[in-house]
Amino acid sequence: MSLNAESTAFRSALEVIRAVEPRVADAIGAELADQRESLKLIASENYASPATLLAMGNWFSDKYAEGTIGRRFYAGCQNVDTVEALAAEHAKELFGAAHAYVQPHSGIDANLVAFWAILADRVESPALKKAQVRQVNDLTEADWFALRRELGNQRMLGMSLDAGGHLTHGFRPNISGKMFDQRSYGTDPATGLVDYDKVAEAAREFKPLILVAGYSAYPRKVNFRIMREIADSVGATFMVDMAHFAGLVAGKVFTGDFDPVPHAHIVTTTTHKSLRGPRGGMVLCGPELADQVDRGCPMVLGGPLPHVMAAKAVALAEARRPDFAGYAQRIVDNAQALAEGLLRRGAKLVTGGTDNHLVLIDVSGYGLTGRQAEQALLDSGIVTNRNAVPQDPNGAWYTSGIRIGTPALTTRGLGASEMDTTAELMHTVLSQTTPGANADGTPSKAKYVLDPALAETVSKQASDLLAGFPLYPSVDLG
Ligand code: DSN
């Protein structure tokens, strides 16, 4: 039997790797096997296409290309220019953006590029103007001191971590919380929803330079038109981090007031979550911020990864195909089916449901911490991650929540009926897990008690469920 192109490509790659370090080849094969067998509900993960994966394993990995197209610090970048331009072109077309910068290595890097671009654009700093890469050698010691003074204490208002915001939106232990004088807006304690009047009030009081919207663990839509009005009312630059829901924007599930691109001054994203591309980041903006954004490397970023930019171009081309819209809608349909299945069985959900790709279960309803629930589910073949809930009494380490998302299972082809089965499996595990105790008898926030036979039964049911939806059906490693 002749193998298809994808099987041949991956088999050949593993054979070549195995000849040098067989343990790496084995680990790659084992990773595929593990991914095939687990019920992956991590909201920020997905399965990139074989074409996207294969675009990363090649000679572009060897090339340095600091700077950007037309302004490189290295010679011989003509082919990197081709893939960087293709990725940017696809991104602009897909999102209707004037400018796209496709070099960031991650969402955090994309946010840093955006912060620096905004500072450079907004802060009246002669020292900063001089510090732009082309003049950096002209800076005196006095300029450096002035630069720190002029940039210090700029203000940022973002969503708090426990309400669903991201570390880089000013959380103290993150560099963003040290770069900026930061204040957070939360969600309404009764509904769990963003209270725009409260955001407006905080903005009026605090007068931030940057208003940030976007989230990692908020299960609802955000009205970006209203957020932009709030930003405008206090003269703030409006930045949206759409890392989690970029696929829903690309697939036109989030349109109008819920599409950040027409409303924000600058939008950042990852490329690997609901967008289903390679691990990486991206910045979209209008012409007024484009030049500063393009200075991301070497201002903020290490050298670009041309092999990943090639993969971004492939994945963005895939997202421009008509069938991506159907995929994006199915992500949301599945999340809603999963939420309904959990609610029907008595689970407590933050905001009572979802409008997007993720669901946040408040597992205090089962008498568990997030950490206990996460591990019990993992023992049962269900991969999730623990996450704080608003005003979480257990903090960001133990937490009281489990965040689940549907981009990955939707890629595998699971639908509403399988989401109901998934809800049943999760509820079975969570309702039969009890908190454990420390050696001295005090209650533990990490230990738990779950009958191993039950965990095994659920694992088997999860793997039976997945058997009907093979992952990478075109890839046979033999
Ligand atoms: N790690 C990503 C997530 O899981 O949401 C965000 O950085």
Side-chain angles (χ1 to χ4, degrees):
M1 186 191 85
S2 71
L3 285 175
N4 63 29
E6 287 156 5
S7 300
T8 306
F10 285 106
R11 278 190 190 195
S12 303
L14 288 178
E15 196 180 314
V16 173
I17 295 166
R18 182 165 285 109
V20 180
E21 175 47 287
R23 289 170 295 185
V24 170
D26 289 346
I28 294 171
E31 181 60 25
L32 176 59
D34 287 353
Q35 293 203 17
R36 280 180 163 158
E37 277 163 29
S38 57
L39 199 58
K40 176 150 98 171
L41 283 162
I42 294 189
S44 49
E45 293 186 6
N46 210 328
Y47 305 108
S49 71
T52 299
L53 296 177
L54 289 167
M56 282 185 277
N58 57 65
W59 303 271
F60 273 132
S61 167
D62 298 331
K63 190 73 194 96
Y64 255 118
E66 286 178 14
T68 190
I69 300 172
R71 203 162 66 194
R72 299 280 188 204
F73 290 82
Y74 290 82
C77 295
Q78 60 280 4
N79 300 310
V80 177
D81 286 354
T82 300
V83 291
E84 183 166 351
L86 276 170
E89 208 43 52
H90 283 311
K92 287 193 290 181
E93 289 292 328
L94 182 63
F95 292 108
H99 185 71
Y101 180 64
V102 297
Q103 291 191 11
H105 312 155
S106 67
I108 288 184
D109 286 359
N111 285 351
L112 284 172
V113 169
F115 294 149
W116 276 104
I118 295 167
L119 287 172
D121 181 57
R122 294 288 311 277
V123 178
E124 277 307 318
S125 165
L128 182 64
K129 294 274 173 291
K130 265 179 116 175
Q132 300 304 343
V133 281
R134 274 178 295 188
Q135 295 146 344
V136 77
N137 293 337
D138 303 337
L139 283 183
T140 64
E141 198 167 342
D143 288 329
W144 284 115
F145 282 123
L147 184 60
R148 277 188 223 156
R149 206 174 41 245
E150 288 161 11
L151 294 187
N153 283 326
Q154 297 298 329
R155 293 175 173 184
M156 178 164 80
L157 178 63
M159 194 179 208
S160 67
L161 194 66
D162 72 342
H166 189 254
L167 293 172
T168 51
H169 301 173
F171 186 54
R172 284 281 149 77
N174 181 263
I175 184 72
S176 57
K178 303 183 199 311
M179 277 168 71
F180 289 95
D181 178 4
Q182 194 271 2
R183 203 175 282 180
S184 302
Y185 57 88
T187 44
D188 184 294
T191 61
L193 302 175
V194 172
D195 180 337
Y196 298 100
D197 291 339
K198 286 266 165 58
V199 180
E201 196 182 306
R204 269 197 306 276
E205 276 173 16
F206 190 51
K207 300 207 175 7
L209 180 81
I210 309 176
L211 175 64
V212 184
Y215 50 79
S216 294
Y218 179 68
R220 296 291 176 178
K221 295 198 260 196
V222 171
N223 188 314
F224 298 115
R225 180 185 52 76
I226 297 177
M227 293 296 278
R228 171 62 186 259
E229 284 168 10
I230 295 170
D232 284 348
S233 73
V234 296
T237 297
F238 181 40
M239 170 175 157
V240 175
D241 177 347
M242 65 169 184
H244 262 259
F245 52 91
L248 306 185
V249 178
K252 311 284 178 256
V253 178
F254 284 5
T255 55
D257 293 353
F258 306 104
D259 175 353
V261 180
H263 300 292
H265 294 101
I266 188 161
V267 176
T268 60
T269 186
T270 55
T271 46
H272 51 273
K273 296 184 172 109
S274 53
L275 197 50
R276 205 164 56 180
R279 299 297 300 249
M282 200 161 69
V283 181
L284 307 173
C285 63
E288 56 295 334
L289 284 171
D291 186 54
Q292 298 298 350
V293 163
D294 281 349
R295 293 170 189 272
C297 170
M299 188 69 163
V300 175
L301 300 176
L305 307 173
H307 54 308
V308 180
M309 290 197 287
K312 285 173 183 170
V314 171
L316 288 163
E318 289 171 344
R320 288 185 65 193
R321 291 181 179 163
D323 60 349
F324 194 85
Y327 165 65
Q329 185 59 54
R330 286 194 299 279
I331 291 176
V332 178
D333 294 345
N334 276 343
Q336 290 177 339
L338 188 53
E340 279 157 27
L342 287 162
L343 284 170
R344 214 173 38 250
R345 292 170 175 88
K348 191 169 147 193
L349 305 185
V350 173
T351 79
T354 182
D355 300 326
N356 57 27
H357 64 297
L358 71 87
V359 176
L360 191 55
I361 310 173
D362 183 342
V363 291
S364 68
Y366 291 103
L368 300 171
T369 65
R371 183 154 168 174
Q372 291 162 333
E374 177 192 80
Q375 288 303 309
L377 289 166
L378 189 62
D379 291 349
S380 314
I382 302 173
V383 188
T384 65
N385 69 281
R386 65 187 187 278
N387 205 101
V389 299
Q391 297 95 41
D392 199 316
N394 286 320
W397 179 249
Y398 292 108
T399 82
S400 303
I402 285 289
R403 185 188 69 165
I404 51 180
T406 51
L409 291 184
T410 306
T411 295
R412 279 185 89 139
L414 281 78
S417 138
E418 292 77 29
M419 291 302 114
D420 195 56
T421 309
T422 302
E424 170 65 21
L425 298 180
M426 293 186 76
H427 176 73
T428 301
V429 174
L430 295 174
S431 59
Q432 307 221 19
T433 302
T434 51
N438 295 312
D440 63 4
T442 55
S444 168
K445 289 186 176 184
K447 295 190 175 142
Y448 59 96
V449 180
L450 171 65
D451 178 0
L454 179 84
E456 202 181 316
T457 304
V458 172
S459 286
K460 170 80 175 55
Q461 288 169 327
S463 107
D464 288 348
L465 180 69
L466 291 174
F469 302 90
L471 177 62
Y472 297 114
S474 62
V475 179
D476 173 7
L477 293 186

